[in-house]
Amino acid sequence: MSTGEATAGTTSGAAGGSGAAPGADGAASGRSEISRRVELLATALLALATLVTAWSAFQSTKWSGVMANSYAAASAARAESTRASTEAGQLMTIDVETFTSWVDAIASQQRAGIETGLADDGTYSPADGTQSAFLYARFRPEFVPAFDAWLATDPLHDDAAPRNPFLMPDYDPEARQRAESELSRAEELSTTALRANQNGDNYVLTSILFAAVALFAGLSTKLAHRVARRTLLGSAVALFVVATIVVLSFPKML
């Protein structure tokens, strides 16, 4: 082989070697660009997951406050209901004793032949100076409508009439109404507290989901294997989308 041929072969080989270098650089550049995109997406997921986690923690705290306030208000309402119920029972005792005394007075007047004020049609006009009139004048104002309505049913002659005024719909002391109202309010507040507690728990659960998103996104930038990295990042994206949809469906407090 001549010296010229060897030189030409060497030159040709060098030219061929330098032609392969641009292809390798392009592949390395492509892999680097993909890595940058993966890291950018992972960083964005980390930021968004942190933001929504903070929002979930804020909402959980707000709903915890609603729960505590509702339970406290429910306890106060139950206490007021108990007090009003006790008051209603005491007032009913007064009404029963006064009414019983009036019945005894009417019976005594009938036996003594004294005018009672009771008419055959069931109406009652207190006879002045009698014990029954004295007691009637001292009936509580809340009891009088029920008493008059009971007399209108002609209980002295009609066996189907209610046995006493306390069975009449007209007998509904304000204290008893208040007791029932406060009890209903306590039940509503307890329901609100339970609902608020559940909302708070739901937000805590979503915080855990977004923490998992942040974990997957962070790990995806540390893996060397391309398929594993993309799989982990894809899982983080899917979990983030699902968790975000769930969070948006929850009630919110501001």
Side-chain angles (χ1 to χ4, degrees):
M1 178 182 297
S2 66
T3 304
E5 291 175 344
T7 303
T10 303
T11 303
S12 175
S18 63
D25 291 343
S29 176
R31 287 194 296 271
S32 177
E33 179 64 22
I34 292 174
S35 297
R36 283 196 295 270
R37 290 179 180 178
V38 169
E39 291 178 358
L40 180 61
L41 179 56
T43 302
L45 278 177
L46 281 168
L48 290 173
T50 301
L51 181 63
V52 183
T53 298
W55 167 259
S56 297
F58 169 74
Q59 287 296 310
S60 177
T61 301
K62 294 287 286 186
W63 284 111
S64 295
V66 172
M67 178 192 68
N69 292 336
S70 297
Y71 273 135
S75 297
R78 285 195 177 90
E80 177 60 23
S81 176
T82 300
R83 191 188 70 80
S85 180
T86 301
E87 179 184 350
Q90 293 171 342
L91 295 176
M92 185 175 183
T93 299
I94 294 173
D95 292 337
V96 169
E97 291 181 352
T98 307
F99 172 71
T100 302
S101 298
W102 178 86
V103 171
D104 291 339
I106 290 292
S108 298
Q109 290 170 213
Q110 287 176 338
R111 288 193 299 268
I114 301 174
E115 175 63 31
T116 62
L118 286 172
D120 292 337
D121 60 359
T123 59
Y124 175 66
S125 299
D128 293 339
T130 61
Q131 184 179 7
S132 60
F134 173 84
L135 293 169
Y136 179 79
R138 282 153 181 78
F139 282 169
R140 288 195 321 109
E142 287 185 315
F143 176 62
V144 173
F147 176 79
D148 292 340
W150 175 69
L151 286 180
T153 63
D154 195 14
L156 299 179
H157 305 97
D158 187 357
D159 292 337
R163 296 298 180 184
N164 59 69
F166 307 101
L167 300 177
M168 301 295 294
D170 304 81
Y171 186 72
D172 193 15
E174 184 275 336
R176 186 164 65 187
Q177 296 178 21
R178 192 168 69 251
E180 293 174 354
S181 175
E182 289 296 329
L183 182 59
S184 298
R185 179 168 171 267
E187 292 174 352
E188 291 175 0
L189 288 168
S190 294
T191 300
T192 299
L194 290 173
R195 191 181 300 115
N197 182 51
Q198 183 61 55
N199 290 336
D201 290 345
N202 291 340
Y203 276 107
V204 170
L205 176 60
T206 57
S207 297
I208 297 174
L209 294 178
F210 284 111
V213 170
L215 176 64
F216 292 167
L219 289 177
S220 67
T221 62
K222 307 300 181 182
L223 297 178
H225 196 280
R226 185 171 57 185
V227 175
R229 183 172 54 194
R230 290 181 177 179
T231 300
L232 196 58
L233 185 60
S235 299
V237 171
L239 184 58
F240 177 81
V241 171
V242 172
T244 301
I245 293 174
V246 172
V247 165
L248 293 177
S249 68
F250 291 159
K252 301 165 185 62
M253 288 283 296
L254 297 177

